[in-house]
Structure formats: C-alpha cells, structure tokens
Amino acid sequence: MRTLLVTGGAGFIGSNFIQYMLGKHTEISIINLDKLTYAGNLENLKTVEHDDRYRFVEGDICNAEIVNRLVPEADVIVNFAAESHVDRSIGKPDDFIKTDIYGVFVLLEAARSNGIQRFVQISTDEVYGSREKGHFSETDPLMPSSPYAASKSGADRLVYSYYVTYRLPVVIPRSSNNFGPYQYPEKLIPLFVTNALENKKLPIYGDGLNVRDWLYVMDNCEAIELIMEQGRDGEAYNVGAGNEYSNLEITRFILDFLHKPESLMTFVEDRKGHDRRYALDIGKTCALGWKPRHSFQEAMKETIQWYCHHREWWEKLKSGEYLEYYRKQYQNRL
Ligand code: NAD
Ligand code: TYD
C-alpha cells in the first residue's frame, strides 16, 4: 500500500485527482491536507469520504507542525494547495506569497527530512508569461506577469533547487487552464455557465481576444499520474491540449449550448497585466506516453451539463453559505 499526501485536495483539480486515483488503484491510500479556504469544498469529495483508504485533515501547508506530523506517513507528496485566482492576486497578493511560496517551502523541508520518494509540485503554464506566437518549452525562461504567476514561479524554482541542492526527487507538471466539474465559480468557464443559467451578465475583460489552451481536468489527472510515476527527477513537464480559444469563443460556445442570448455578454474593464495568450509545447510529456484523450467540444458539453445538474453545488458557493456549514460539520476531526 502506497500513501499519497495530497495537499489542496478539496479544491478543483485536487478533488478530481483524488477521485481519479482512488477509482483507478486499489493499493493506495490518500491523506488530503487542506486548509478549506473559500476554494476548498468537501462536497467535491462526497464519493470518497467513507472510503477506508481516504482521510481528510483540515490544516494549512504553512503550519510545520501539522505538515511534519503527516509527511512521515506518506511515500509521495502531490502539492495542489495554492491560492489560484489571478484576479484575487491582483487585489490582495498576501496569501499567494504565504501559501504558494512559503507553504511549499514547509512541505519541501518536511519532504527532505523524511526521505520522501516523490515530490510533485503542481505548477502552471502562467509561469512563462504571455506569448503572441509559438509555444513555450520547459527550458524557456519564466516571465510571470501576475502576483499569482510570480508566486507559482517562485515555488516552481524553489522545488527545483531542492533537487539540485539536496537531490530531493521532485517533478513539476506545468499545465494550461483546466476545465471540468467542481471548479469554483469564479473562473471563466464555471462563472460564465452559472451566470448564464441565472440570466446574469457575463463580464468579458477587455476585447475578449485573450487566448487560453483549455485542458479537460481528467486529461490533466492522467498526465499528473504519469509524470509522478515516470517523470525524471528535477524536470518540469508541460501539460496542454492544443485547444486554443479566445474568451469570446468560449463565451459564445456556452451561450449557444445553453440557448441564451448574446445580449448577456458585457465588455468590462480589462484585467491589469492581462496575459494575451498561453501556449505550450507538450512534446516532452507526450514522450512519456500521454496525450489528451478528450475532445474539447465533448468535454465542454459534459462540463456545462454538470453545472446544469449540480445547481445546489454552485448556488451555495455563490451565496457564501457553504464554509460555515462545513466548518461546523468537520470541527471534531481537527
Ligand atoms: P483551487 O483554488 O480550486 O483549490 C486550491 C485548494 O488549495 C483549495 O482546496 C484550498 O482550500 C487549498 N488551500 C489553499 N491554501 C491552502 C493552504 N495554505 N494550506 C492547505 N490548503 C490550502 O485550485 P485549482 O484550480 O484546483 O488548482 C490546483 C493547483 O493547480 C494550484 O496549485 C494551481 O496553481 C494549479 N493550476 C491550476 C490550473 C487551473 O486551471 N485551475 C492550471 C494550472 C495549474
Ligand atoms: P481565469 O479563468 O481567471 O483563468 P486565468 O486567468 O488563470 O487564465 O480567466 C481565463 C480568461 O478569462 C482570462 O483571459 C481572463 C478572462 N476572464 C474574463 O474575461 N472574465 C471573467 O470574469 C473572468 C473570471 C476571466
């Protein structure tokens, strides 16, 4: 039995990853350490909460005491924990610096003193910054534009330094924008789908021509697992799908699918320092034997339908009721 310490597992990608791993393997157990910030949601993990192989611990990755208690139980650490929303990092970067950099330092120190077999740092394509043409490869310089991307870049290179200096066996997946079920309705796709369902305006920043490469979260989970198992120590791996769409194209897809009028689109002031385009060369990850398996159109339709069928999940988040409820329910397990 191998034990994974998954940090930030109550968020969007982490919760998908936990369900994916427990569904696929019998011989693993998972400890999920999550602070339950506004973005952490235990409802994402209802399908596994009674699984004997799964344990939830509420706590902060910046808290060395909790981290040092859990790391000796683990063979592998997969760190998803982060403040993850660019707009929030522009408004108030403080927690991004704390969690995304200092928290990673705390995890690395614990990993080093406990001889962890693998440290997987979930990084992002945003570390490279913006690019009008061509694709970034893993050896390109990091030129982050937002406090979010800069804090993730700091962590990305700090993790690398623990490989160079201490030979800690780290790998660093850098993925493009994910979409799928359980994504907090502040990010483009879930915000626009849920706003459209409520007949609210869809606020498009600037001219709406910024481009992202949209990756279905299940394809990312498969890539993370493969990189965790077969990636080379100290190496970063780009994970993207080649689904380059402008925000306007994404918006029109959502409105068409839901039969909602284009009059819901509203152009608002641009995000400060808004990256124009992200694009990745994924050859290195494909060489490990991975490729994205889901078509963008099909995965988008399934995702939109998921939000249509899980109104109670996102309505609570949009109304802010949720955290209060779960804090009470889980306080005995702290
Ligand atoms: P998310 O915001 O949905 O989830 C983050 C999780 O981390 C939440 O459960 C939150 O409670 C937890 N958390 C925050 N601070 C913590 C702390 N100090 N200690 C413990 N837990 C803490 O984020 P996500 O979209 O699932 O992203 C997960 C990871 O993937 C992040 O590291 C992010 O940078 C990276 N990433 C995300 C995307 C994307 O499109 N969402 C793309 C590339 C990389
Ligand atoms: P987002 O989902 O926040 O991801 P990221 O900034 O990490 O790429 O935003 C995706 C794109 O959508 C980005 O170009 C900003 C844009 N956007 C809007 O136009 N309106 C919105 O309300 C949001 C949240 C994002």
Side-chain angles (χ1 to χ4, degrees):
M1 185 74 90
R2 200 153 67 128
T3 301
L4 270 55
L5 174 61
V6 173
T7 52
F12 163 48
I13 308 177
S15 62
N16 276 287
F17 182 74
I18 289 173
Q19 295 184 61
Y20 163 79
M21 289 298 284
L22 288 175
K24 184 170 172 191
H25 301 280
T26 45
E27 294 299 300
I28 59 158
S29 64
I30 292 184
I31 305 168
N32 173 16
L33 172 65
D34 196 295
K35 186 181 174 182
L36 295 185
T37 66
Y38 76 96
N41 185 347
L42 292 172
E43 286 200 6
N44 300 359
L45 293 154
K46 279 236 171 282
T47 57
V48 298
E49 68 182 359
H50 299 302
D51 191 318
D52 291 342
R53 299 168 301 153
Y54 170 74
R55 188 166 116 225
F56 171 69
V57 179
E58 184 174 350
D60 190 332
I61 59 164
C62 299
N63 182 335
E65 196 193 313
I66 297 179
V67 168
N68 284 322
R69 181 154 53 79
L70 297 177
V71 169
E73 293 184 49
D75 302 297
V76 174
I77 297 176
V78 188
N79 177 37
F80 293 93
E83 289 294 332
S84 69
H85 189 40
V86 173
D87 291 327
R88 288 180 190 253
S89 85
I90 294 167
K92 192 170 184 294
D94 312 38
D95 286 343
F96 290 77
I97 312 302
K98 284 183 199 141
T99 293
D100 300 13
I101 303 178
Y102 184 76
V104 175
F105 159 71
V106 172
L107 291 174
L108 285 166
E109 279 296 296
R112 171 160 96 89
S113 22
N114 286 283
I116 211 84
Q117 283 170 16
R118 237 323 106 103
F119 188 102
V120 184
Q121 167 64 11
I122 305 300
S123 191
T124 164
D125 63 353
E126 301 197 25
V127 297
Y128 298 114
S130 188
R131 178 164 189 156
E132 298 269 335
K133 288 202 174 72
H135 297 82
F136 286 113
S137 71
E138 289 83 352
T139 47
D140 280 327
L142 307 191
M143 296 285 282
S145 317
S146 68
Y148 161 68
S151 65
K152 292 294 292 185
S153 304
D156 182 307
R157 292 300 82 192
L158 186 64
V159 168
Y160 174 71
S161 80
Y162 271 62
Y163 165 67
V164 175
T165 310
Y166 307 113
R167 292 287 140 187
L168 191 72
V170 310
V171 281
I172 308 166
R174 293 178 181 153
S175 92
S176 61
N177 287 61
N178 284 218
F179 67 99
Y182 306 109
Q183 187 168 28
Y184 194 85
E186 65 183 352
K187 306 280 167 62
L188 180 74
I189 289 175
L191 179 73
F192 279 20
V193 171
T194 58
N195 276 13
L197 289 171
E198 294 180 300
N199 298 311
K200 288 185 182 157
K201 294 281 186 195
L202 276 44
I204 299 167
Y205 299 158
D207 60 10
L209 297 178
N210 303 69
V211 170
R212 300 292 183 262
D213 169 6
W214 292 97
L215 172 70
Y216 188 53
V217 66
M218 271 305 138
D219 284 325
N220 192 22
C221 289
E222 290 178 4
I224 292 168
E225 183 191 8
L226 188 67
I227 294 165
M228 174 175 93
E229 299 298 353
Q230 293 185 29
R232 283 184 31 208
D233 289 348
E235 299 276 324
Y237 290 87
N238 288 344
V239 185
N243 296 321
E244 285 194 36
Y245 293 104
S246 71
N247 297 335
L248 265 181
E249 288 173 306
I250 296 289
T251 307
R252 291 211 166 95
F253 188 105
I254 293 169
L255 291 174
D256 278 0
F257 187 77
L258 292 174
H259 305 295
K260 296 287 181 179
E262 291 218 343
S263 56
L264 287 179
M265 300 195 317
T266 174
F267 289 87
V268 299
E269 191 187 335
D270 207 355
R271 173 187 278 172
K272 288 186 177 69
H274 195 173
D275 283 335
R276 196 64 172 166
R277 174 174 171 267
Y278 300 134
L280 296 174
D281 178 338
I282 58 168
K284 185 175 170 184
T285 306
C286 292
L288 292 178
W290 172 86
K291 63 173 193 246
R293 289 193 300 113
H294 295 84
S295 93
F296 172 77
Q297 273 74 13
E298 289 310 310
M300 264 299 272
K301 286 179 195 166
E302 269 184 36
T303 299
I304 297 173
Q305 268 159 351
W306 189 88
Y307 289 94
C308 292
H309 296 141
H310 292 81
R311 279 190 88 111
E312 74 299 343
W313 181 88
W314 55 263
E315 277 172 349
K316 247 187 269 177
L317 299 181
K318 280 188 148 179
S319 74
E321 279 168 31
Y322 149 80
L323 261 183
E324 200 47 39
Y325 170 74
Y326 267 98
R327 284 216 177 283
K328 279 193 196 123
Q329 207 180 25
Y330 279 85
Q331 65 193 358
N332 297 336
R333 298 200 196 172
L334 299 187

